Amino acid sequence: QEERAPLYDIAPDIVPVSAESGIFADLPADELDRITQICQNIASICGDLFQTAEKVSSPYMPDQLVLAQSSIDAIEERLIQQGYPVLDTDSTYPSFLQNADGMYRFRDAVENGLDGRQDYIWISPYGGFQYCSLETRADGPYFLEAAAQWNERNEIEITELYKREVLDWDLTENGNFYYKLYEAHSPAFEDYTLLRLKETDRTLYNLNAAYIEPVGYQSNNLFTCSWNHTDYGALCFNDLLEFCYRMNTEQILDISALPCQENPFYYQIPAVMFEESILPYFDISLHAFREKTCYDKNSNTYPWLDVAYDNLSYFPLITPEVKACQQNSDGTITLTVDAMCVGLKQDSLFRHKVTIRLQEGGGFQYVQNQMITTSQELPAYQPRLQMQRG
């Protein structure tokens, strides 16, 4: 969990702040009263649902109980019906802000130099909620977050309160609101937060989860170079092993028992294992495949390296989003994919099209990847194996 600072105790008068914290104004009593009143209003609307909510084991910490998603959904729905801007969460699909029209009015106020404020609520799986507020005024923009929980007397109380300077924010045409906060304890790691104002198309998201996310963009170049089934170009098959292995077996590749060679170091993957992992996902002959993957005939193995500091190709953290699906006359489908980069405040750092051939039994093959547009020059990909670097 992110360590957030500074942490303020709730006081009846003013919450003290310091210049070192990156906050530029004290929190006066009237603002604290407003926050307290809003939290009390929220508690009065859905407190009964919190008290009767079903609790289940956390998927991350089995010994810890959290609210069931169905209970969270019920709380969110009641607040949404009351007109509150609420972060609509889901265990599968990306969260988005319901009753988000105010965000557009807030954007207009910011652009016209007017004072403005936009609040929203996030239901915590641990049994409380977060009240968040974005505000712009004469002394600058800021972000405020208050955490509310029920105490032993079954009363709502604000347990944490943060107020940070906003360094930048932007609302894109796609309905994505990005904002960056000043972090006093780690100014070198300031980054953007994404708040979606529109619901993700679930059909397209399912395609994304099935065919794009399992490989992604880190430590391979399947989706970052152009190729097709007649010319695979610069595509590096060797760097796809762990991704294809996991799709094929639903297990993580265990490297502890793999044979290896020293000077230079690399793992020697048995041909059967290597070919059965990767070949099902591509329309390529065995001869052409072996030519592109440095196959060793004498040992009947393929060289491979896992990701390490000395072979890592830097690439920004990217989230794929399928924007369209085209059914082709030959039975294939072509997915139009935007590579979203929250860290760079980009809805589409680049766009590419992936053609996929669906097979019986749920199998599929990657037929083509075509790079369409880029918003800036992308870093060149370097294969992990030194022997494959030209």
Side-chain angles (χ1 to χ4, degrees), residues 141-196:
Y142 71 82
F143 174 83
L144 185 145
E145 181 178 8
Q149 295 282 347
W150 272 266
N151 58 25
E152 296 80 2
R153 299 183 300 276
N154 204 27
E155 299 170 337
I156 196 68
E157 64 179 9
I158 299 175
T159 57
E160 297 178 354
L161 182 60
Y162 307 93
K163 185 178 178 182
R164 299 185 182 92
E165 179 182 358
V166 176
L167 300 179
D168 185 32
W169 50 30
D170 189 24
L171 177 55
T172 69
E173 293 181 359
N174 293 332
N176 292 320
F177 185 83
Y178 298 89
Y179 62 92
K180 178 189 285 190
L181 306 180
Y182 178 87
E183 298 288 357
H185 68 290
S186 58
F189 296 98
E190 294 157 358
D191 208 346
Y192 284 93
T193 297
L194 169 64
L195 184 63
R196 297 174 185 266

Short mmCIF file of all heavy atoms in Angstrom, two decimals, residues 141-196:
data_model
loop_
_atom_site.label_atom_id
_atom_site.label_comp_id
_atom_site.label_asym_id
_atom_site.label_seq_id
_atom_site.Cartn_x
_atom_site.Cartn_y
_atom_site.Cartn_z
N PRO A 141 -4.89 25.00 -6.72
CA PRO A 141 -5.66 23.77 -6.75
C PRO A 141 -5.20 22.79 -5.68
O PRO A 141 -4.02 22.74 -5.33
CB PRO A 141 -5.36 23.22 -8.15
CG PRO A 141 -3.97 23.70 -8.43
CD PRO A 141 -3.80 25.00 -7.72
N TYR A 142 -6.13 22.01 -5.16
CA TYR A 142 -5.73 21.00 -4.19
C TYR A 142 -6.68 19.80 -4.25
O TYR A 142 -7.77 19.87 -4.81
CB TYR A 142 -5.64 21.57 -2.78
CG TYR A 142 -6.95 21.91 -2.11
CD1 TYR A 142 -7.72 20.91 -1.49
CD2 TYR A 142 -7.42 23.22 -2.06
CE1 TYR A 142 -8.90 21.22 -0.87
CE2 TYR A 142 -8.63 23.52 -1.43
CZ TYR A 142 -9.36 22.52 -0.83
OH TYR A 142 -10.55 22.81 -0.21
N PHE A 143 -6.22 18.73 -3.63
CA PHE A 143 -6.99 17.49 -3.51
C PHE A 143 -7.11 17.16 -2.03
O PHE A 143 -6.10 17.16 -1.31
CB PHE A 143 -6.29 16.35 -4.25
CG PHE A 143 -6.94 15.00 -4.07
CD1 PHE A 143 -8.01 14.61 -4.85
CD2 PHE A 143 -6.46 14.11 -3.12
CE1 PHE A 143 -8.61 13.37 -4.69
CE2 PHE A 143 -7.05 12.86 -2.95
CZ PHE A 143 -8.12 12.49 -3.74
N LEU A 144 -8.31 16.89 -1.59
CA LEU A 144 -8.55 16.54 -0.19
C LEU A 144 -9.20 15.17 -0.12
O LEU A 144 -10.08 14.85 -0.92
CB LEU A 144 -9.44 17.60 0.46
CG LEU A 144 -9.70 17.46 1.96
CD1 LEU A 144 -9.79 18.84 2.61
CD2 LEU A 144 -10.98 16.67 2.24
N GLU A 145 -8.75 14.37 0.83
CA GLU A 145 -9.30 13.03 1.00
C GLU A 145 -9.51 12.75 2.48
O GLU A 145 -8.59 12.92 3.29
CB GLU A 145 -8.36 11.98 0.40
CG GLU A 145 -8.87 10.56 0.51
CD GLU A 145 -7.94 9.56 -0.15
OE1 GLU A 145 -6.83 9.95 -0.54
OE2 GLU A 145 -8.33 8.39 -0.27
N ALA A 146 -10.71 12.34 2.83
CA ALA A 146 -11.05 12.00 4.21
C ALA A 146 -11.52 10.56 4.26
O ALA A 146 -12.37 10.15 3.46
CB ALA A 146 -12.13 12.93 4.75
N ALA A 147 -10.98 9.80 5.19
CA ALA A 147 -11.39 8.41 5.39
C ALA A 147 -12.34 8.35 6.58
O ALA A 147 -12.02 8.85 7.66
CB ALA A 147 -10.17 7.53 5.64
N ALA A 148 -13.50 7.73 6.38
CA ALA A 148 -14.52 7.62 7.43
C ALA A 148 -14.75 6.16 7.77
O ALA A 148 -14.86 5.32 6.88
CB ALA A 148 -15.81 8.29 6.99
N GLN A 149 -14.83 5.88 9.07
CA GLN A 149 -15.06 4.52 9.54
C GLN A 149 -16.06 4.56 10.69
O GLN A 149 -16.27 5.59 11.32
CB GLN A 149 -13.74 3.90 10.04
CG GLN A 149 -12.68 3.69 8.98
CD GLN A 149 -12.94 2.47 8.13
OE1 GLN A 149 -13.78 1.64 8.46
NE2 GLN A 149 -12.20 2.35 7.03
N TRP A 150 -16.67 3.40 10.98
CA TRP A 150 -17.54 3.29 12.13
C TRP A 150 -16.71 2.85 13.34
O TRP A 150 -15.88 1.94 13.24
CB TRP A 150 -18.65 2.28 11.87
CG TRP A 150 -19.84 2.89 11.23
CD1 TRP A 150 -20.97 3.36 11.85
CD2 TRP A 150 -20.05 3.13 9.83
NE1 TRP A 150 -21.86 3.89 10.94
CE2 TRP A 150 -21.32 3.75 9.69
CE3 TRP A 150 -19.28 2.90 8.68
CZ2 TRP A 150 -21.83 4.13 8.46
CZ3 TRP A 150 -19.79 3.28 7.47
CH2 TRP A 150 -21.05 3.89 7.35
N ASN A 151 -16.95 3.51 14.49
CA ASN A 151 -16.21 3.16 15.70
C ASN A 151 -16.98 2.12 16.51
O ASN A 151 -18.00 1.59 16.07
CB ASN A 151 -15.93 4.42 16.54
CG ASN A 151 -17.20 5.15 16.94
OD1 ASN A 151 -18.27 4.55 17.01
ND2 ASN A 151 -17.07 6.45 17.20
N GLU A 152 -16.45 1.83 17.72
CA GLU A 152 -17.06 0.80 18.55
C GLU A 152 -18.48 1.16 18.97
O GLU A 152 -19.29 0.27 19.30
CB GLU A 152 -16.20 0.56 19.80
CG GLU A 152 -14.81 0.01 19.52
CD GLU A 152 -13.84 1.11 19.09
OE1 GLU A 152 -14.25 2.30 19.05
OE2 GLU A 152 -12.68 0.79 18.79
N ARG A 153 -18.79 2.46 19.00
CA ARG A 153 -20.13 2.90 19.39
C ARG A 153 -21.07 2.98 18.19
O ARG A 153 -22.16 3.55 18.28
CB ARG A 153 -20.05 4.26 20.08
CG ARG A 153 -19.20 4.25 21.35
CD ARG A 153 -19.22 5.62 22.04
NE ARG A 153 -18.69 6.66 21.16
CZ ARG A 153 -17.40 6.94 21.01
NH1 ARG A 153 -16.49 6.20 21.67
NH2 ARG A 153 -16.99 7.91 20.22
N ASN A 154 -20.61 2.44 17.06
CA ASN A 154 -21.40 2.43 15.83
C ASN A 154 -21.69 3.85 15.33
O ASN A 154 -22.74 4.13 14.77
CB ASN A 154 -22.71 1.67 16.02
CG ASN A 154 -23.26 1.14 14.70
OD1 ASN A 154 -22.50 0.89 13.76
ND2 ASN A 154 -24.57 0.97 14.62
N GLU A 155 -20.71 4.73 15.54
CA GLU A 155 -20.79 6.11 15.07
C GLU A 155 -19.75 6.34 14.00
O GLU A 155 -18.64 5.80 14.06
CB GLU A 155 -20.54 7.09 16.22
CG GLU A 155 -21.54 6.99 17.36
CD GLU A 155 -21.11 7.79 18.57
OE1 GLU A 155 -19.90 8.07 18.70
OE2 GLU A 155 -21.99 8.14 19.37
N ILE A 156 -20.10 7.13 13.00
CA ILE A 156 -19.14 7.42 11.94
C ILE A 156 -18.15 8.46 12.44
O ILE A 156 -18.52 9.40 13.15
CB ILE A 156 -19.86 7.92 10.66
CG1 ILE A 156 -18.91 7.85 9.46
CG2 ILE A 156 -20.42 9.33 10.84
CD1 ILE A 156 -18.55 6.47 9.04
N GLU A 157 -16.89 8.27 12.13
CA GLU A 157 -15.87 9.25 12.49
C GLU A 157 -14.82 9.30 11.41
O GLU A 157 -14.56 8.31 10.71
CB GLU A 157 -15.23 8.92 13.84
CG GLU A 157 -14.47 7.61 13.87
CD GLU A 157 -13.84 7.35 15.24
OE1 GLU A 157 -14.15 8.11 16.17
OE2 GLU A 157 -13.03 6.41 15.34
N ILE A 158 -14.23 10.47 11.25
CA ILE A 158 -13.16 10.66 10.27
C ILE A 158 -11.85 10.25 10.92
O ILE A 158 -11.44 10.82 11.93
CB ILE A 158 -13.11 12.12 9.79
CG1 ILE A 158 -14.43 12.51 9.12
CG2 ILE A 158 -11.96 12.31 8.81
CD1 ILE A 158 -14.52 13.95 8.73
N THR A 159 -11.23 9.23 10.37
CA THR A 159 -10.01 8.69 10.98
C THR A 159 -8.73 9.22 10.33
O THR A 159 -7.68 9.19 10.95
CB THR A 159 -10.02 7.15 10.88
OG1 THR A 159 -10.16 6.77 9.51
CG2 THR A 159 -11.19 6.58 11.69
N GLU A 160 -8.82 9.64 9.09
CA GLU A 160 -7.65 10.17 8.39
C GLU A 160 -8.09 11.32 7.50
O GLU A 160 -9.20 11.30 6.94
CB GLU A 160 -6.97 9.09 7.55
CG GLU A 160 -6.40 7.93 8.37
CD GLU A 160 -5.78 6.86 7.48
OE1 GLU A 160 -5.91 6.98 6.25
OE2 GLU A 160 -5.19 5.91 8.02
N LEU A 161 -7.21 12.28 7.35
CA LEU A 161 -7.51 13.42 6.51
C LEU A 161 -6.24 13.91 5.84
O LEU A 161 -5.24 14.16 6.52
CB LEU A 161 -8.14 14.55 7.33
CG LEU A 161 -8.57 15.81 6.58
CD1 LEU A 161 -9.61 15.47 5.52
CD2 LEU A 161 -9.12 16.84 7.54
N TYR A 162 -6.27 13.99 4.54
CA TYR A 162 -5.11 14.42 3.77
C TYR A 162 -5.49 15.58 2.87
O TYR A 162 -6.60 15.63 2.35
CB TYR A 162 -4.58 13.29 2.88
CG TYR A 162 -4.32 11.99 3.60
CD1 TYR A 162 -5.31 11.01 3.67
CD2 TYR A 162 -3.10 11.76 4.20
CE1 TYR A 162 -5.08 9.83 4.33
CE2 TYR A 162 -2.85 10.57 4.86
CZ TYR A 162 -3.84 9.60 4.93
OH TYR A 162 -3.61 8.43 5.58
N LYS A 163 -4.55 16.47 2.69
CA LYS A 163 -4.76 17.58 1.77
C LYS A 163 -3.46 17.84 1.05
O LYS A 163 -2.42 18.10 1.68
CB LYS A 163 -5.21 18.82 2.53
CG LYS A 163 -5.57 20.01 1.64
CD LYS A 163 -6.05 21.17 2.49
CE LYS A 163 -6.37 22.38 1.63
NZ LYS A 163 -6.78 23.53 2.45
N ARG A 164 -3.51 17.75 -0.29
CA ARG A 164 -2.28 17.87 -1.07
C ARG A 164 -2.46 18.88 -2.19
O ARG A 164 -3.55 19.05 -2.73
CB ARG A 164 -1.88 16.53 -1.68
CG ARG A 164 -1.60 15.41 -0.69
CD ARG A 164 -1.11 14.19 -1.47
NE ARG A 164 -0.86 13.05 -0.62
CZ ARG A 164 -1.75 12.11 -0.35
NH1 ARG A 164 -2.97 12.20 -0.85
NH2 ARG A 164 -1.46 11.08 0.41
N GLU A 165 -1.36 19.46 -2.56
CA GLU A 165 -1.36 20.36 -3.71
C GLU A 165 -1.50 19.55 -4.99
O GLU A 165 -0.90 18.48 -5.14
CB GLU A 165 -0.05 21.15 -3.73
CG GLU A 165 0.08 22.10 -4.90
CD GLU A 165 1.41 22.82 -4.91
OE1 GLU A 165 2.21 22.59 -3.98
OE2 GLU A 165 1.65 23.60 -5.84
N VAL A 166 -2.30 20.05 -5.92
CA VAL A 166 -2.44 19.43 -7.23
C VAL A 166 -1.45 20.10 -8.18
O VAL A 166 -1.48 21.32 -8.36
CB VAL A 166 -3.87 19.57 -7.78
CG1 VAL A 166 -3.95 19.01 -9.20
CG2 VAL A 166 -4.86 18.85 -6.88
N LEU A 167 -0.57 19.31 -8.78
CA LEU A 167 0.43 19.84 -9.70
C LEU A 167 -0.12 19.99 -11.11
O LEU A 167 0.28 20.87 -11.86
CB LEU A 167 1.66 18.94 -9.71
CG LEU A 167 2.39 18.78 -8.37
CD1 LEU A 167 3.58 17.84 -8.53
CD2 LEU A 167 2.84 20.12 -7.82
N ASP A 168 -1.05 19.08 -11.47
CA ASP A 168 -1.58 19.13 -12.84
C ASP A 168 -2.84 18.29 -12.88
O ASP A 168 -2.99 17.32 -12.12
CB ASP A 168 -0.54 18.58 -13.83
CG ASP A 168 -1.00 18.71 -15.28
OD1 ASP A 168 -1.72 19.68 -15.57
OD2 ASP A 168 -0.65 17.84 -16.10
N TRP A 169 -3.77 18.68 -13.76
CA TRP A 169 -4.93 17.83 -14.03
C TRP A 169 -5.43 18.11 -15.44
O TRP A 169 -5.16 19.15 -16.03
CB TRP A 169 -6.04 18.01 -13.00
CG TRP A 169 -6.47 19.42 -12.68
CD1 TRP A 169 -6.44 20.52 -13.49
CD2 TRP A 169 -6.98 19.87 -11.43
NE1 TRP A 169 -6.92 21.60 -12.84
CE2 TRP A 169 -7.26 21.25 -11.57
CE3 TRP A 169 -7.26 19.24 -10.22
CZ2 TRP A 169 -7.79 22.01 -10.53
CZ3 TRP A 169 -7.79 20.00 -9.19
CH2 TRP A 169 -8.04 21.36 -9.35
N ASP A 170 -6.13 17.12 -15.98
CA ASP A 170 -6.61 17.24 -17.36
C ASP A 170 -7.76 16.27 -17.57
O ASP A 170 -7.76 15.15 -17.04
CB ASP A 170 -5.47 16.92 -18.35
CG ASP A 170 -5.85 17.23 -19.78
OD1 ASP A 170 -6.74 18.07 -20.00
OD2 ASP A 170 -5.25 16.64 -20.70
N LEU A 171 -8.75 16.69 -18.34
CA LEU A 171 -9.89 15.85 -18.69
C LEU A 171 -9.89 15.67 -20.20
O LEU A 171 -9.99 16.63 -20.95
CB LEU A 171 -11.20 16.50 -18.23
CG LEU A 171 -12.51 15.78 -18.60
CD1 LEU A 171 -12.50 14.34 -18.11
CD2 LEU A 171 -13.71 16.53 -18.03
N THR A 172 -9.74 14.42 -20.67
CA THR A 172 -9.61 14.15 -22.09
C THR A 172 -10.97 13.95 -22.74
O THR A 172 -11.99 13.78 -22.07
CB THR A 172 -8.76 12.89 -22.32
OG1 THR A 172 -9.49 11.72 -21.87
CG2 THR A 172 -7.44 12.96 -21.56
N GLU A 173 -10.96 13.94 -24.06
CA GLU A 173 -12.21 13.74 -24.82
C GLU A 173 -12.81 12.37 -24.57
O GLU A 173 -14.01 12.16 -24.74
CB GLU A 173 -11.94 13.93 -26.31
CG GLU A 173 -11.56 15.36 -26.71
CD GLU A 173 -11.34 15.51 -28.19
OE1 GLU A 173 -11.45 14.47 -28.90
OE2 GLU A 173 -11.04 16.62 -28.65
N ASN A 174 -11.98 11.41 -24.17
CA ASN A 174 -12.47 10.05 -23.92
C ASN A 174 -13.10 9.92 -22.53
O ASN A 174 -13.53 8.82 -22.15
CB ASN A 174 -11.32 9.05 -24.05
CG ASN A 174 -10.81 8.94 -25.47
OD1 ASN A 174 -11.57 9.16 -26.43
ND2 ASN A 174 -9.55 8.60 -25.63
N GLY A 175 -13.14 11.01 -21.77
CA GLY A 175 -13.73 10.94 -20.45
C GLY A 175 -12.80 10.40 -19.39
O GLY A 175 -13.25 9.79 -18.41
N ASN A 176 -11.50 10.63 -19.55
CA ASN A 176 -10.52 10.22 -18.56
C ASN A 176 -9.94 11.45 -17.88
O ASN A 176 -9.41 12.35 -18.54
CB ASN A 176 -9.39 9.42 -19.22
CG ASN A 176 -9.86 8.08 -19.73
OD1 ASN A 176 -10.65 7.40 -19.08
ND2 ASN A 176 -9.41 7.69 -20.91
N PHE A 177 -10.08 11.50 -16.56
CA PHE A 177 -9.59 12.63 -15.78
C PHE A 177 -8.28 12.22 -15.11
O PHE A 177 -8.26 11.28 -14.32
CB PHE A 177 -10.62 13.05 -14.73
CG PHE A 177 -10.23 14.28 -13.96
CD1 PHE A 177 -10.46 15.55 -14.48
CD2 PHE A 177 -9.63 14.18 -12.72
CE1 PHE A 177 -10.11 16.68 -13.77
CE2 PHE A 177 -9.27 15.30 -11.99
CZ PHE A 177 -9.51 16.56 -12.53
N TYR A 178 -7.21 12.90 -15.46
CA TYR A 178 -5.89 12.63 -14.86
C TYR A 178 -5.55 13.75 -13.90
O TYR A 178 -5.77 14.93 -14.20
CB TYR A 178 -4.81 12.59 -15.94
CG TYR A 178 -4.96 11.51 -16.99
CD1 TYR A 178 -5.68 11.75 -18.15
CD2 TYR A 178 -4.35 10.27 -16.83
CE1 TYR A 178 -5.81 10.77 -19.13
CE2 TYR A 178 -4.47 9.29 -17.81
CZ TYR A 178 -5.20 9.54 -18.95
OH TYR A 178 -5.31 8.59 -19.92
N TYR A 179 -4.99 13.40 -12.75
CA TYR A 179 -4.48 14.43 -11.86
C TYR A 179 -3.20 13.93 -11.17
O TYR A 179 -3.02 12.74 -10.92
CB TYR A 179 -5.53 14.88 -10.84
CG TYR A 179 -6.03 13.81 -9.90
CD1 TYR A 179 -5.44 13.60 -8.66
CD2 TYR A 179 -7.14 13.02 -10.23
CE1 TYR A 179 -5.91 12.63 -7.78
CE2 TYR A 179 -7.62 12.05 -9.37
CZ TYR A 179 -7.00 11.86 -8.15
OH TYR A 179 -7.47 10.91 -7.28
N LYS A 180 -2.33 14.88 -10.89
CA LYS A 180 -1.05 14.57 -10.26
C LYS A 180 -0.94 15.38 -8.97
O LYS A 180 -1.15 16.60 -8.97
CB LYS A 180 0.12 14.91 -11.18
CG LYS A 180 1.49 14.65 -10.55
CD LYS A 180 2.62 15.21 -11.40
CE LYS A 180 2.86 14.33 -12.61
NZ LYS A 180 4.12 14.72 -13.32
N LEU A 181 -0.59 14.71 -7.87
CA LEU A 181 -0.50 15.34 -6.56
C LEU A 181 0.96 15.47 -6.13
O LEU A 181 1.81 14.65 -6.49
CB LEU A 181 -1.25 14.52 -5.51
CG LEU A 181 -2.72 14.20 -5.81
CD1 LEU A 181 -3.30 13.38 -4.67
CD2 LEU A 181 -3.52 15.45 -6.04
N TYR A 182 1.22 16.51 -5.35
CA TYR A 182 2.54 16.67 -4.76
C TYR A 182 2.68 15.69 -3.60
O TYR A 182 1.85 15.68 -2.69
CB TYR A 182 2.73 18.10 -4.26
CG TYR A 182 4.08 18.32 -3.59
CD1 TYR A 182 5.20 18.67 -4.35
CD2 TYR A 182 4.23 18.18 -2.22
CE1 TYR A 182 6.43 18.87 -3.75
CE2 TYR A 182 5.45 18.37 -1.61
CZ TYR A 182 6.54 18.72 -2.38
OH TYR A 182 7.76 18.90 -1.77
N GLU A 183 3.71 14.87 -3.63
CA GLU A 183 3.97 13.92 -2.56
C GLU A 183 5.23 14.36 -1.82
O GLU A 183 6.34 14.24 -2.32
CB GLU A 183 4.15 12.50 -3.12
CG GLU A 183 2.92 11.95 -3.83
CD GLU A 183 1.81 11.59 -2.87
OE1 GLU A 183 2.01 11.73 -1.64
OE2 GLU A 183 0.72 11.20 -3.33
N ALA A 184 5.05 14.85 -0.60
CA ALA A 184 6.18 15.41 0.14
C ALA A 184 7.23 14.35 0.47
O ALA A 184 8.43 14.63 0.46
CB ALA A 184 5.67 16.07 1.42
N HIS A 185 6.77 13.13 0.76
CA HIS A 185 7.72 12.10 1.21
C HIS A 185 8.47 11.46 0.05
O HIS A 185 9.49 10.80 0.26
CB HIS A 185 6.97 11.02 2.00
CG HIS A 185 6.04 10.19 1.17
ND1 HIS A 185 4.88 10.70 0.64
CD2 HIS A 185 6.10 8.89 0.76
CE1 HIS A 185 4.26 9.76 -0.04
NE2 HIS A 185 4.98 8.65 0.02
N SER A 186 7.97 11.61 -1.17
CA SER A 186 8.64 11.00 -2.32
C SER A 186 8.43 11.86 -3.56
O SER A 186 7.77 11.42 -4.50
CB SER A 186 8.13 9.58 -2.56
OG SER A 186 6.72 9.60 -2.76
N PRO A 187 8.96 13.08 -3.59
CA PRO A 187 8.72 13.96 -4.74
C PRO A 187 9.25 13.41 -6.05
O PRO A 187 8.81 13.79 -7.12
CB PRO A 187 9.44 15.26 -4.34
CG PRO A 187 10.44 14.85 -3.31
CD PRO A 187 9.82 13.71 -2.57
N ALA A 188 10.21 12.48 -5.97
CA ALA A 188 10.77 11.91 -7.20
C ALA A 188 9.80 10.95 -7.87
O ALA A 188 9.99 10.57 -9.02
CB ALA A 188 12.08 11.19 -6.90
N PHE A 189 8.75 10.54 -7.16
CA PHE A 189 7.84 9.53 -7.68
C PHE A 189 6.43 10.07 -7.91
O PHE A 189 5.47 9.33 -7.87
CB PHE A 189 7.80 8.32 -6.73
CG PHE A 189 9.11 7.61 -6.61
CD1 PHE A 189 9.94 7.87 -5.55
CD2 PHE A 189 9.52 6.72 -7.58
CE1 PHE A 189 11.16 7.23 -5.43
CE2 PHE A 189 10.74 6.07 -7.48
CZ PHE A 189 11.57 6.33 -6.40
N GLU A 190 6.34 11.37 -8.10
CA GLU A 190 5.04 11.95 -8.41
C GLU A 190 4.51 11.33 -9.70
O GLU A 190 5.24 11.19 -10.68
CB GLU A 190 5.15 13.47 -8.54
CG GLU A 190 5.53 14.15 -7.23
CD GLU A 190 6.16 15.51 -7.46
OE1 GLU A 190 6.33 15.88 -8.63
OE2 GLU A 190 6.50 16.18 -6.47
N ASP A 191 3.26 10.96 -9.71
CA ASP A 191 2.68 10.34 -10.89
C ASP A 191 1.20 10.71 -10.98
O ASP A 191 0.62 11.24 -10.04
CB ASP A 191 2.83 8.83 -10.83
CG ASP A 191 2.91 8.20 -12.21
OD1 ASP A 191 2.57 8.89 -13.19
OD2 ASP A 191 3.29 7.03 -12.30
N TYR A 192 0.62 10.41 -12.10
CA TYR A 192 -0.79 10.73 -12.32
C TYR A 192 -1.69 9.63 -11.78
O TYR A 192 -1.32 8.46 -11.72
CB TYR A 192 -1.07 10.92 -13.81
CG TYR A 192 -0.57 12.23 -14.36
CD1 TYR A 192 0.69 12.32 -14.94
CD2 TYR A 192 -1.35 13.38 -14.30
CE1 TYR A 192 1.17 13.53 -15.44
CE2 TYR A 192 -0.89 14.58 -14.80
CZ TYR A 192 0.37 14.65 -15.37
OH TYR A 192 0.83 15.84 -15.86
N THR A 193 -2.87 10.03 -11.39
CA THR A 193 -3.95 9.12 -11.02
C THR A 193 -5.04 9.26 -12.08
O THR A 193 -5.32 10.37 -12.55
CB THR A 193 -4.51 9.46 -9.64
OG1 THR A 193 -3.49 9.29 -8.66
CG2 THR A 193 -5.69 8.56 -9.29
N LEU A 194 -5.63 8.14 -12.46
CA LEU A 194 -6.68 8.14 -13.47
C LEU A 194 -8.03 7.97 -12.81
O LEU A 194 -8.24 7.04 -12.02
CB LEU A 194 -6.44 7.01 -14.48
CG LEU A 194 -7.59 6.71 -15.45
CD1 LEU A 194 -7.86 7.91 -16.36
CD2 LEU A 194 -7.28 5.47 -16.27
N LEU A 195 -8.97 8.83 -13.17
CA LEU A 195 -10.35 8.72 -12.74
C LEU A 195 -11.20 8.64 -14.01
O LEU A 195 -11.33 9.62 -14.74
CB LEU A 195 -10.74 9.94 -11.89
CG LEU A 195 -12.15 9.94 -11.29
CD1 LEU A 195 -12.31 8.79 -10.31
CD2 LEU A 195 -12.43 11.27 -10.59
N ARG A 196 -11.76 7.48 -14.26
CA ARG A 196 -12.58 7.28 -15.46
C ARG A 196 -13.99 7.84 -15.23
O ARG A 196 -14.60 7.57 -14.19
CB ARG A 196 -12.69 5.80 -15.81
CG ARG A 196 -11.36 5.14 -16.17
CD ARG A 196 -11.57 3.64 -16.34
NE ARG A 196 -10.32 2.93 -16.57
CZ ARG A 196 -9.83 2.64 -17.77
NH1 ARG A 196 -10.52 2.98 -18.86
NH2 ARG A 196 -8.69 2.00 -17.91
#
